[in-house]
Amino acid sequence: MHSNPIQKVGQIGIPVKNIERATAYYQEKLGLPLLFNTDTMAFFDCEGVRLLLTLPENEQFAHPSSVIYFQVADIKEKYEELLSNGVQFIGEPHVVAKVGDTETWMVFFKDSEENTHAFMSEVSV
């Protein structure tokens, strides 16, 4: 038994090559609120989870980030909205799983730094 359990994901780091370009992308294309930024970092709020865009401190960290799945209520609507805003999607929204009366939909996209992320939506059918 751990006396000091992990509570939640507090922050997700996303390595970037160009901090200005990446900050503009997450703020303008994805519409996430910028909390604050420095010359090498930018912090965004995603409904209580902080996203940190960062220039890697050394080559060891200069690799694509893990896939972040952004949850949305209506994936088709979000897809159309962001497609018209210049977001580069990989395919279209599609069902990846169905459990009982719930379908899980996903669509993947590339950010300005070549990281792959996704939008997901859980739909009752």
Side-chain angles (χ1 to χ4, degrees), residues 31-68:
L32 290 170
L34 178 68
L35 296 171
F36 58 96
N37 59 335
T38 69
D39 291 345
T40 60
M41 296 182 278
F43 295 86
F44 287 87
D45 176 53
C46 185
E47 289 291 323
V49 175
R50 214 156 64 171
L51 299 183
L52 161 62
L53 306 183
T54 179
L55 291 173
E57 288 183 41
N58 59 48
E59 206 52 43
Q60 180 184 341
F61 299 113
H63 55 78
S65 74
S66 297
V67 177
I68 296 172

Side-chain angles (χ1 to χ4, degrees), residues 47-109:
E47 289 291 323
V49 175
R50 214 156 64 171
L51 299 183
L52 161 62
L53 306 183
T54 179
L55 291 173
E57 288 183 41
N58 59 48
E59 206 52 43
Q60 180 184 341
F61 299 113
H63 55 78
S65 74
S66 297
V67 177
I68 296 172
Y69 294 82
F70 296 95
Q71 190 153 349
V72 294
D74 186 332
I75 196 167
K76 291 175 184 172
E77 185 182 295
K78 194 66 174 171
Y79 170 79
E80 294 296 336
E81 172 197 327
L82 294 183
L83 195 61
S84 69
N85 201 21
V87 171
Q88 180 192 344
F89 283 96
I90 305 161
E92 296 182 2
H94 57 283
V95 176
V96 293
K98 184 174 182 193
V99 180
D101 293 339
T102 304
E103 289 180 346
T104 301
W105 284 71
M106 262 172 223
V107 64
F108 292 87
F109 69 96

Side-chain angles (χ1 to χ4, degrees), residues 1-6:
M1 186 78 179
H2 296 279
S3 59
N4 189 9
I6 294 172

